[in-house]
Amino acid sequence: MTGTTIARQLILAGTIAACAAEPALAGNPADSPEQTKAIGIDVARRIRAVRIDGGKLAIDGLLEEAAWRGAAEGTGFTQTEPHDGEPATERTSVRLLYDDRAIYVGIRAFDDEAERICARLARRDDECRSDWVYVYFDSYDDNRTAFCFCVNPAGSRMDGLVFDDNSLDMNWDAVWDVGTSIDDDGWTAEFAIPFS
């Protein structure tokens, strides 16, 4: 991407129980377009979160475990800037897993010019100039509040609480884990976010 900073955002709404009950609908429109229009999204996508049992995931950003390969892939994201609603300029792939302890988000951020990925090391909650992926959990499903988890390719992380629809409190800090990895196709982020 000619050295420009890329930020990719994923908003997850509802509860994990609702996600687990849905059939695999990655890429299909939501049942209620009116609801998604109200929050400025033309078409909501559904990605089925797959329950995993037994062995632990290595939160290393590699997404190599069989559980990741068996999870439904969400693609077809759109951009918000600079051309809201247009197809994204780079492909992004998302997979969701969960167990009794946490939800796991695996993001593959493809980049046609992977050698130009901007990965700067920064202190926690310092949004330096870099590529980033953002995961928002609208766990109250109210379209006004969300818990935000972000990471850049160097592993620098941010988290915060979104309130009043678009205000962000970066003083909210959670205990969570994330791993990242850069390769010839782009970069990956592997989140482990506890339910508690």
Side-chain angles (χ1 to χ4, degrees):
M1 270 316 293
T2 62
T4 60
T5 300
I6 299 174
R8 302 165 199 239
Q9 300 184 26
L10 172 68
I11 301 171
L12 302 173
T15 64
I16 189 65
C19 290
E22 293 291 339
L25 293 174
N28 288 349
D31 294 333
S32 174
E34 295 78 23
Q35 181 183 15
T36 57
K37 287 272 190 193
I39 59 171
I41 300 172
D42 289 329
V43 178
R45 309 272 184 212
R46 292 189 184 171
I47 305 168
R48 184 173 191 259
V50 175
R51 181 173 181 75
I52 56 173
D53 294 310
K56 293 189 173 193
L57 296 173
I59 307 302
D60 54 12
L62 296 177
L63 308 179
E64 293 177 335
E65 293 87 356
W68 288 119
R69 290 189 299 276
E73 179 183 28
T75 60
F77 294 95
T78 59
Q79 59 181 292
T80 54
E81 291 181 13
H83 306 289
D84 193 18
E86 294 294 316
T89 57
E90 295 284 353
R91 192 164 80 84
T92 304
S93 168
V94 176
R95 296 174 193 267
L96 302 174
L97 303 172
Y98 73 100
D99 59 20
D100 290 336
R101 186 185 75 80
I103 185 164
Y104 305 93
V105 181
I107 300 176
R108 159 59 86 177
F110 292 93
D111 196 315
D112 289 336
E113 297 180 22
E115 68 281 357
R116 299 183 76 171
I117 290 173
C118 188
R120 297 214 168 107
L121 196 57
R123 293 183 186 272
R124 185 172 182 159
D125 293 337
D126 182 11
E127 190 175 21
C128 63
R129 181 168 170 74
S130 182
D131 289 15
W132 288 92
V133 291
Y134 296 74
V135 176
Y136 295 87
F137 286 93
D138 179 8
S139 53
Y140 297 115
D141 201 15
D142 64 0
N143 302 323
R144 295 180 49 85
T145 57
F147 300 97
C148 178
F149 302 88
C150 321
V151 70
N152 75 2
S156 297
R157 65 176 77 183
M158 299 186 301
D159 53 12
L161 175 64
V162 177
F163 63 96
D164 288 340
D165 198 28
N166 61 3
S167 299
L168 181 61
D169 178 2
M170 296 302 286
N171 292 316
W172 180 84
D173 288 322
V175 177
W176 55 288
D177 197 11
V178 67
T180 60
S181 177
I182 301 173
D183 58 34
D184 291 341
D185 294 322
W187 65 287
T188 55
E190 185 175 18
F191 295 80
I193 301 170
F195 289 127
S196 62

